[in-house]
Amino acid sequence: MQPTDIRHPDYFHKVVDCQWACPAHTPVPEYIRLIAAGRYADAYMVNWESNVFPGILGRTCDRPCEPACRRGRVEEAQASKPEPVAICRLKRVAADLKGDVSERMPRLALHKNGKRVACVGAGPAALTVARDLAPLGYSVTVFDADPKAGGMIRSQIPRFRLPEEVIDEETQHVLRLGVEFRGGVRIESMKQLLDENWDAVFVGSGAPRGRDLSLPGRQEAAAHIHIGIDWLASVSFGHTTHIGRRVIVLGGGNTAMDCCRTSRRLGGEEVKVIVRSPFDEMKASPWEKEDAMHEGIPILDCLVPKAFVHDNGKLTGMRFEKVKAVRDDKGRRQLVPTGEPEQLVECDEVLVAVGQENAFPWIERDIGIHFDEHGMPALNAVTLQASRPDVFFGGDAALGPKNIIWAVAQGHAAAISIDKFLHGEDVAQRPPPGVTLVSQKMGIHEWSYDNEVAPDLRYKVPWRDVNQVLRNIKVEVELGFDAKTAFKEAQRCLNCDVQTVFATGQCIECDACVDICPMDCITFTKNGEEPELRTRLRAPARQADQALYVSDLLKTGRVMVKDEDVCLHCGLCAERCPTGAWDMQKFALDTAKAGHACRQHQPRKVA
């Protein structure tokens, strides 16, 4: 293997698994340390710089960071149920305990640059674009059919998960940057919008169309069958206040979980979730399924809907076919009927939450914006620029439905593209991140961070009494961590951004670091090809997604090989090393945002 080039921005970035997995690349260990230090406002602002909506995401994020968390892997041998750090809920702690941060927000731009940008939709992607561009002097106007900003955050996430005051606060942080918000204005024609001479248009209109099921009885019983996302919006805006006693929710995603839990609060006494796929393969996040079952909602899997049963238009039930999942030689899944008789499940109302689709009837097809065979805009996946160069997309409207944190990440990317485009630059030339490595050495055996690994298992977020929350749809279920518990949970973080950095020239090959390493992840050995080398380390490195840190040749002809996968970042190797060949250095990644630093700069001519 070749020596590892730690100057490459992605090397240590990938070692910080949580930050690498986060689409917005939030510096997770940094804000967790700030929470442990009681610096909640600082932790909030670190989050706000990356993900814009810490209070919202601290309650609703899909948490791609947590499955990646190293803590879950290093606990495998010690805990019956190894679990990652509660990253998402710690983010909420920063939001709940931060105090007033209005004075820490960016100032209004003193001078406008003369460029006008229109954002269609006031969801997380569009608000991120506005947040990035307004302080740079752009005149940003956000249009939304709803009277208040937030998009699907406000219309489709129930208040028992996300209180409205949290949405109001965090959307206002953006709008106060000088962004003009035109609520209650639905854009009906892209051609008409473009005729208003905007310099750029960003489309963040989401995926507003819920998929339907064309089954026997659908039309006859239509009054008792509702599309999930439309029904949630109707509840959110107070148009729907009750539901039938017996409810079936079709679908296995997070929208289905929101539908079933909302139904329980609006009068549904017998609420069932019925899904085609096996329980373990449902798209809903594991914690969403747990929350639903905690509220007494059964989830019935491997049932394919066949028909709506009605009595002269009055829905009485649904018929289902029992299936099982079978995989072929290539691992592809098929749902095969078991041959059992069809099952009848009685109900009064059905909520259909089987997916969402984009809808662009308001974008004319003769204005230079091309669409693919699925009705999606033809985009560059990196720049998010459409075939018409002054139009950009982001969020669910761009590459299909995902989640809030992906929408934020795409908002940042689109803002860079818009800024470069309006400065006449090639939007495909993306700015690299800024990277720093700073030693944490405070003394011979002292570091500027707490390097003691806490043995505690994951702490549980407290809930309100289930009987209390089911009586009021606006009562938040989760209470969040208090400061004391947040500190203890923060101590479980392994500080993966504080890297073990090795200096080949200072090593005397005494093997002291090998002896003291609690995870056996350091080996001095003869070099070789990576697959073979991984098998003969002190502890075989089976996680191929994580790199091996390989040194230059040492004096004996051996190399130092470190498995980054299960390293605790405890610093014992650096404490034990007699020559300082090992050092603990904090890695900081400054992801690019729209602005001067993202543009191309010609060298000044010297007279």
Side-chain angles (χ1 to χ4, degrees):
M1 295 185 67
Q2 296 300 310
T4 301
D5 183 5
I6 63 173
R7 297 171 301 175
H8 193 288
D10 280 351
Y11 179 74
F12 282 137
H13 184 196
K14 196 172 182 179
V15 175
V16 192
D17 299 77
C18 49
Q19 185 177 19
W20 177 262
C22 175
H25 302 304
T26 306
V28 175
E30 177 68 12
Y31 80 73
I32 289 180
R33 278 192 299 271
L34 291 170
I35 290 170
R39 296 168 56 186
Y40 306 114
D42 290 338
Y44 183 87
M45 295 309 298
V46 167
N47 269 281
W48 191 84
E49 180 66 24
S50 297
N51 58 47
V52 187
F53 307 105
I56 293 169
L57 286 164
R59 293 165 166 84
T60 63
C61 188
D62 210 37
R63 314 182 198 179
C65 54
E66 292 192 13
C69 176
R70 185 185 315 276
R71 180 78 194 207
R73 298 202 297 277
V74 301
E75 278 188 1
E76 286 180 353
Q78 289 80 30
S80 57
K81 186 182 179 184
E83 289 191 281
V85 176
I87 298 169
C88 180
R89 292 323 186 232
L90 286 173
K91 190 191 311 290
R92 172 181 170 172
V93 170
D96 287 353
L97 303 181
K98 69 185 182 305
D100 184 6
V101 295
S102 56
E103 291 299 316
R104 303 183 63 166
M105 293 293 161
R107 303 298 184 203
L108 295 177
L110 295 177
H111 304 287
K112 294 293 185 181
N113 62 15
K115 303 294 186 182
R116 300 168 62 243
V117 178
C119 293
V120 181
L127 290 178
T128 300
V129 170
R131 198 291 297 266
D132 286 359
L133 295 182
L136 302 178
Y138 290 93
S139 296
V140 182
T141 302
V142 178
F143 299 88
D144 200 278
D146 294 332
K148 301 178 76 174
M152 57 77 62
I153 294 173
R154 190 180 296 275
S155 64
Q156 294 174 28
I157 300 177
R159 297 291 81 84
F160 58 82
R161 289 183 58 205
L162 178 60
E164 190 159 22
E165 57 268 23
V166 177
I167 306 174
D168 290 341
E169 178 189 15
E170 298 201 323
T171 56
Q172 284 302 310
H173 284 324
V174 176
L175 300 182
R176 288 195 192 103
L177 299 176
V179 177
E180 181 183 358
F181 175 62
R182 297 187 191 178
V185 177
R186 182 182 296 276
I187 302 300
E188 302 286 359
S189 166
M190 175 65 91
K191 182 181 292 186
Q192 183 177 336
L193 182 66
L194 291 169
D195 286 344
E196 297 177 12
N197 295 320
W198 300 95
D199 295 290
V201 172
F202 175 80
V203 179
S205 54
R209 178 188 294 162
R211 290 179 183 157
D212 204 346
L213 287 177
S214 180
L215 296 174
R218 174 65 178 92
Q219 299 304 318
E220 294 84 346
H224 309 282
I225 303 168
H226 315 284
I227 302 300
I229 61 170
D230 297 339
W231 184 81
L232 285 171
S234 183
V235 172
S236 179
F237 293 115
H239 306 312
T240 296
T241 58
H242 64 277
I243 198 168
R245 187 177 67 85
R246 301 173 301 175
V247 181
I248 290 176
V249 177
L250 300 175
N254 289 340
T255 299
M257 300 302 104
D258 286 341
C259 284
C260 70
R261 297 179 68 195
T262 301
S263 298
R264 286 284 281 122
R265 289 158 171 80
L266 295 187
E269 297 177 12
E270 298 178 16
V271 180
K272 297 181 177 69
V273 174
I274 301 181
V275 61
R276 296 162 51 97
S277 62
F279 180 86
D280 291 338
E281 298 180 22
M282 289 171 60
K283 292 183 178 180
S285 304
W287 49 89
E288 299 285 0
K289 295 188 287 187
E290 291 172 8
D291 291 350
M293 292 185 293
H294 179 77
E295 294 180 356
I297 301 168
I299 298 176
L300 311 179
D301 65 348
C302 294
L303 291 172
V304 175
K306 304 300 291 185
F308 296 96
V309 181
H310 64 95
D311 182 5
N312 293 322
K314 181 182 179 181
L315 185 69
T316 59
M318 286 193 69
R319 287 190 287 107
F320 295 89
E321 180 181 46
K322 185 69 175 176
V323 296
K324 61 181 179 180
V326 177
R327 297 191 179 276
D328 60 19
D329 295 339
K330 296 183 179 179
R332 293 173 298 196
R333 190 198 71 179
Q334 287 186 320
L335 297 177
V336 178
T338 63
E340 301 173 44
E342 288 188 353
Q343 299 181 21
L344 174 65
V345 180
E346 297 179 343
C347 65
D348 303 308
E349 296 194 58
V350 171
L351 301 177
V352 182
V354 293
Q356 294 172 231
E357 298 174 333
N358 296 78
F360 301 105
W362 55 280
I363 300 182
E364 294 84 356
R365 297 311 194 255
D366 61 350
I367 56 176
I369 301 175
H370 300 155
F371 289 81
D372 63 21
E373 65 274 15
H374 303 294
M376 295 292 290
L379 304 175
N380 181 301
V382 175
T383 68
L384 301 173
Q385 186 178 41
S387 52
R388 177 170 174 142
D390 58 345
V391 176
F392 303 80
F393 288 73
D396 291 353
L399 304 174
K402 284 194 175 180
N403 48 55
I404 299 172
I405 192 62
W406 271 105
V408 170
Q410 291 176 1
H412 287 313
I416 292 173
S417 297
I418 293 170
D419 185 43
K420 291 176 72 68
F421 169 73
L422 294 181
H423 280 81
E425 296 186 4
D426 181 3
V427 299
Q429 296 295 318
R430 309 308 282 186
V435 173
T436 57
L437 275 170
V438 179
S439 176
Q440 301 304 289
K441 188 176 285 294
M442 302 285 288
I444 297 177
H445 302 299
E446 190 175 358
W447 309 100
S448 66
Y449 75 104
D450 182 4
N451 66 335
E452 182 180 359
V453 178
D456 300 15
L457 299 180
R458 179 170 168 139
Y459 290 86
K460 301 299 182 185
V461 177
W463 276 32
R464 283 190 172 88
D465 178 74
V466 67
N467 295 313
Q468 178 187 357
V469 299
L470 290 178
R471 289 196 294 268
N472 189 335
I473 197 169
K474 293 187 177 181
V475 172
E476 189 173 11
V477 175
E478 289 191 3
L479 297 173
F481 289 134
D482 58 21
K484 182 178 180 180
T485 308
F487 171 80
K488 291 188 287 187
E489 180 63 30
Q491 293 300 97
R492 297 182 67 241
C493 177
L494 297 177
N495 298 291
C496 294
D497 60 339
V498 181
Q499 305 293 343
T500 50
V501 178
F502 183 74
T504 303
Q506 294 173 234
C507 179
I508 59 173
E509 301 183 64
C510 65
D511 284 5
C513 55
V514 176
D515 294 339
I516 202 168
C517 176
M519 302 302 288
D520 289 334
C521 61
I522 300 173
T523 306
F524 288 83
T525 185
K526 181 181 176 182
N527 206 339
E529 297 296 328
E530 181 172 353
E532 183 269 337
L533 185 58
R534 283 181 174 271
T535 64
R536 56 182 170 85
L537 303 181
R538 285 172 58 84
R542 298 187 177 93
Q543 187 76 15
D545 289 342
Q546 279 280 2
L548 296 179
Y549 185 179
V550 181
S551 74
D552 269 318
L553 285 178
L554 296 160
K555 293 177 181 179
T556 63
R558 299 185 302 171
V559 290
M560 185 285 303
V561 183
K562 175 173 174 285
D563 178 12
E564 299 282 17
D565 183 41
V566 293
C567 174
L568 298 176
H569 297 246
C570 61
L572 290 176
C573 54
E575 289 185 12
R576 182 69 179 82
C577 181
T579 64
W582 286 104
D583 190 18
M584 305 305 295
Q585 298 184 12
K586 185 193 291 186
F587 167 84
L589 183 88
D590 185 12
T591 54
K593 301 290 189 301
H596 182 72
C598 291
R599 301 187 210 122
Q600 297 165 8
H601 304 290
Q602 300 298 327
R604 291 183 179 180
K605 292 182 179 180
V606 180

